[in-house]
Structures are given as structure tokens and as C-alpha cells.
Amino acid sequence: MDKFMQAAIDEARQGFAEGGIPIGSVLVHNGVIIGRGHNRRVQKGSAILHGEMDALENAGRQPAGVYRESVLYTTLSPCSMCCGAILLYGIPRVIIGENRTFIGEEELLRTRGVQVKLLHSDECINLMRRFIDEKPELWNEDIGV
């Protein structure tokens, strides 16, 4: 497993341990993680702190050129909100752990020139499956069902 995807998985596991939704993300610039995060909607009572948004927030304010040279790793296919942030900041590459649990706006990213790579990670799939089995109502809340 790629060390950056492993860092995103570690974030997802931390979120799960905190009682939240196990989705993690890291923002990598020039081979260095500059932001890492996990879904903290439950922990913070937040409407927007998905894993990708948390990683971007934790990266802090960056010059536009940094985003245009970065790669975003996420354990689950990004939703429309997170894809909007990816497009807004011009992040050119997204590596996704899995999309069996949820297929976000991958095609939108591709049509806008973002390189999207899907890993089909069993570790990511199994973590989400366990979470959904244990807390289906929380999962439904997160995806707006």
C-alpha cells in the first residue's frame, strides 16, 4: 500500500475510533503531507467536515500554485462538496481508496481534467463495511439519505 494512502487510512481509522465516520484524506505536495484529516462531522457537530475538507482545512491557507502541484488521497470516492473544493483549488490528481461503498463525482472531476485513480482497496472497503454494519443510520445521515 502506498504510504500516502496508508496515511489516509490511518486517518479513517482514527475517525472510527473517535465514534465518527471512517473516511480519511491527506493532501500531498512534492512528496510531503501538508494536510491530513478525517470525517469529523459527528465529533465536531459539523455540516462540512468530510475527510477531504478536514485535510484541506488542516493544510491551512496555501498559495494557488501549491494546490496545482498537489495530490489528494482519500479513502472513499469524494462527494460533490469535496469535488467542488478539489476543482476550486485546482488540485490536478486524486487517488481514491474505494468507490464500492459510495460513488461520488468522479466523472465530474475527470471531465474537468483531474486525473482520478481508483485503488479498489480491500482495507478501505472493509473499514466502511464494518462501519455501515454497526451504524447504518449515521452512514445514511452522512450521504443524505
Side-chain angles (χ1 to χ4, degrees), residues 4 6-8 21-22 28 30 33 37 46 51 60 75 86 89 92 94 101 105 112 114 126 128 133-134 138 145:
F4 298 124
Q6 189 58 57
I21 300 156
V28 177
N30 290 335
I33 295 173
S46 171
T75 58
I86 291 163
Y89 291 110
V94 177
T101 303
E105 299 293 334
R112 298 284 296 274
V114 176
N126 292 335
M128 287 304 299
D133 286 347
E134 291 181 16
L138 186 53
V145 175

Side-chain angles (χ1 to χ4, degrees), residues 45-73:
S46 171
I48 62 167
L49 280 182
H50 285 189
E52 300 90 340
M53 301 299 278
D54 195 37
L56 288 168
E57 178 69 15
N58 290 330
R61 188 171 152 208
Q62 298 292 327
V66 169
Y67 296 115
R68 287 194 301 266
E69 297 172 345
S70 293
V71 179
L72 184 75
Y73 289 76

Side-chain angles (χ1 to χ4, degrees), residues 17-49:
E18 293 169 357
I21 300 156
I23 302 166
S25 184
V26 296
L27 183 65
V28 177
H29 180 254
N30 290 335
V32 176
I33 295 173
I34 61 170
R36 57 189 314 139
H38 52 275
N39 186 306
R40 293 190 303 150
R41 290 185 64 249
V42 172
Q43 299 91 315
K44 295 286 187 179
S46 171
I48 62 167
L49 280 182

Side-chain angles (χ1 to χ4, degrees), residues 108-127:
L108 171 63
L109 293 176
R110 287 185 184 99
T111 63
R112 298 284 296 274
V114 176
Q115 294 176 0
V116 176
K117 181 177 181 182
L118 181 60
L119 301 180
H120 301 288
S121 163
D122 287 336
E123 193 170 359
C124 293
I125 293 166
N126 292 335
L127 184 57

